[in-house]
């Protein structure tokens, strides 16, 4: 018995015939460049829907000299911080015909540069750089070859745009919240000293203390590396100093998770004995025990807005975009001193 022949997929010419317009009109409507009557546009869109016509985005891209891919450089693929931002990138690409290629720089400037060169060799149309260690001059050099949108830096040229959150202000909000609750002995678990975000958060911590007339005690500042284990170790080191403190500001939520575990193991209650504040507002922070007070970074929005900005640059439009500000999210790990 002969196989039943499969029907061929609808073509642009089929859509044009069904709608009673020229193929070039259909093409221009699909590209958003056609100036046609509402009736004609509706006829084309109805024909597309009825015939389940799917334009070949890759073929269209190749005609324009594009690969229809963008490269994304993250620092730690396993981190929930980058996971939430990548979710925003993914949603930003929906319906655009673009696919993403994700590589990791592992917080190493040389490796980041190598990964960017790899993406350029694969002819991506643009690159999203999520944080990182390479300097601005290197980013601008790469942007001379392909458009780049980067987080964690303040740059703007025709082919490069940076989104930098005000980490100093976010840390200031966190510590001021603790001060307003009556805390004056506030410890700080910092990030790596060579990280600009960590340096900005240390600056915000010290500014809040200075404004309140509280002396900065270097013994209450312990360096971490933004990971859970370092938060736990840093908290143990704070106890080892013998310096009294009633509150802890951790430079990110992961460090706060580790600090919370150290407190639990020592039988220290949060927030009854010690208040705790993080930074990032990762999805899991609303479900810790107790739920974590933290500074919310709009991670999803950053990914989505960065993607839209990159696509604008690729299309020859002005590089622009603005992300929401940081905000304090008060939950259940802080309390007023009695």
């Amino acid at each position: 018995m002969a196989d039943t022949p499969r029907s061929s997929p609808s073509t642009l010419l089929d859509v044009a015939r069904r709608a009673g317009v020229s193929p070039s009109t259909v093409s221009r409507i699909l590209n958003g460049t056609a100036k046609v009557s509402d009736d004609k546009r509706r006829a084309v869109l109805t024909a597309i829907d009825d015939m389940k016509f799917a334009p070949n985005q890759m073929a269209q891209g190749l005609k324009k000299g594009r690969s229809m891919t963008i490269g994304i450089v993250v620092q730690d693929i396993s981190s929930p911080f980058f996971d939430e931002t990548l979710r925003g990138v993914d949603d930003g690409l929906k319906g655009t015909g673009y696919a993403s290629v994700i590589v990791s720089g592992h917080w190493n400037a040389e490796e980041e540069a190598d990964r960017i060169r790899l993406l350029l060799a694969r002819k991506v149309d643009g690159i999203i750089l999520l944080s990182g260690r390479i300097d601005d001059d290197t980013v601008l050099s790469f942007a001379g070859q392909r458009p780049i949108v980067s987080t964690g830096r303040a740059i703007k040229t025709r082919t490069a745009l940076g989104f930098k959150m005000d980490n100093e202000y976010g840390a200031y909000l966190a510590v001021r919240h603790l001060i307003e609750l009556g805390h004056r002995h506030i410890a700080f678990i910092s990030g790596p000293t060579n990280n600009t975000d960590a340096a900005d958060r240390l600056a915000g911590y010290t500014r809040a203390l200075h404004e309140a007339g509280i002396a900065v005690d270097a013994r209450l500042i312990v360096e971490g590396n933004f990971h859970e284990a370092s938060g736990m170790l840093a908290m143990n080191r704070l106890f080892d100093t013998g310096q009294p403190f009633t509150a802890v500001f951790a430079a990110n939520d992961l460090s706060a998770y580790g600090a919370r575990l150290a407190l639990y193991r020592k039988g220290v209650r949060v927030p009854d004995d010690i208040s705790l504040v993080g930074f990032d507002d990762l999805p899991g922070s609303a479900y810790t025990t107790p739920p974590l007070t933290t500074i919310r970074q709009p991670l999803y929005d950053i990914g989505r807005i960065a993607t839209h900005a990159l696509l604008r640059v690729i299309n020859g439009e002005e590089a622009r975009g603005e992300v929401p500000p940081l905000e304090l999210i008060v939950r259940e790990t802080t309390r007023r001193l009695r």
Side-chain angles (χ1 to χ4, degrees):
M1 182 176 178
D3 291 337
T4 303
R6 295 181 182 179
S7 59
S8 299
S10 300
T11 66
L12 185 143
L13 182 60
D14 296 329
V15 172
R17 288 171 176 163
R18 172 73 70 90
V21 300
S22 68
S24 63
T25 298
V26 176
S27 178
R28 286 184 291 118
I29 289 175
L30 288 171
N31 292 329
T33 60
K35 294 182 179 179
V36 298
S37 67
D38 290 341
D39 287 344
K40 191 172 289 188
R41 186 182 299 275
R42 273 195 296 271
V44 169
L45 295 178
T46 299
I48 288 172
D49 187 54
D50 290 345
M51 303 180 76
K52 296 181 172 54
F53 172 69
N56 189 325
Q57 298 281 6
M58 180 61 75
Q60 291 182 3
L62 289 174
K63 288 181 180 179
K64 298 177 182 178
R66 297 179 183 175
S67 67
M68 301 305 294
T69 58
I70 67 166
I72 305 171
V73 183
V74 302
Q75 302 306 318
D76 183 356
I77 293 175
S78 66
S79 169
F81 178 94
F82 291 108
D83 185 58
E84 188 69 3
T85 310
L86 287 172
R87 190 170 68 85
V89 172
D90 186 59
D91 280 357
L93 290 176
K94 284 181 178 176
T96 67
Y98 272 89
S100 60
V101 178
I102 303 173
V103 296
S104 180
H106 299 112
W107 294 111
N108 181 286
E110 184 175 341
E111 189 169 349
E112 282 174 44
D114 285 342
R115 297 290 82 77
I116 292 175
R117 293 188 190 98
L118 173 67
L119 292 171
L120 293 173
R122 296 177 75 93
K123 305 298 183 182
V124 297
D125 295 329
I127 293 173
I128 296 176
L129 175 60
L130 300 178
S131 300
R133 293 285 173 80
I134 59 175
D135 58 39
D136 289 356
D137 288 341
T138 303
V139 173
L140 294 174
S141 175
F142 285 129
Q145 302 176 63
R146 289 289 189 279
I148 292 182
V149 171
S150 177
T151 64
R153 64 185 79 235
I155 56 175
K156 184 173 183 181
T157 69
R158 185 176 59 83
T159 57
L161 178 64
F163 293 99
K164 183 172 176 59
M165 304 303 298
D166 194 343
N167 286 281
E168 193 270 353
Y169 177 67
Y172 171 81
L173 286 179
V175 179
R176 189 180 68 178
H177 168 64
L178 292 169
I179 293 170
E180 289 173 347
L181 291 176
H183 297 277
R184 297 186 64 81
H185 301 283
I186 303 170
F188 178 43
I189 299 175
S190 76
T193 55
N194 62 349
N195 180 280
T196 56
D197 289 351
D200 290 344
R201 293 172 196 180
L202 174 60
Y205 165 80
T206 57
R207 176 161 76 97
L209 293 181
H210 286 151
E211 282 191 7
I214 302 172
V216 176
D217 187 341
R219 293 169 296 184
L220 291 182
I221 301 174
V222 178
E223 183 180 349
N225 65 8
F226 286 149
H227 289 92
E228 298 94 331
S230 75
M232 181 175 63
L233 293 173
M235 181 59 73
N236 289 331
R237 287 167 58 194
L238 283 169
F239 281 115
D240 289 343
T241 66
Q243 290 299 114
F245 56 93
T246 60
V248 177
F249 168 46
N252 71 334
D253 283 3
L254 294 181
S255 296
Y257 297 167
R260 175 69 185 89
L261 178 58
L263 291 169
Y264 168 77
R265 287 178 171 173
K266 288 182 177 294
V268 178
R269 299 169 300 170
V270 176
D272 303 78
D273 302 320
I274 287 181
S275 289
L276 178 64
V277 180
F279 196 113
D280 285 337
D281 193 27
L282 298 178
S285 295
Y287 301 97
T288 57
T289 306
L292 182 67
T293 294
T294 186
I295 299 298
R296 173 174 291 164
Q297 289 207 76
L299 302 176
Y300 169 85
D301 292 324
I302 290 172
R304 182 174 52 81
I305 293 169
T307 303
H308 290 164
L310 180 63
L311 294 177
R312 286 182 60 85
V313 181
I314 291 172
N315 288 322
E317 302 173 46
E318 180 187 1
R320 68 170 186 241
E322 186 174 343
V323 295
L326 302 176
E327 61 178 316
L328 174 69
I329 304 299
V330 179
R331 295 196 179 102
E332 299 172 36
T333 56
T334 55
R335 75 168 183 91
R336 182 174 298 279
L337 281 185
R338 296 184 177 86

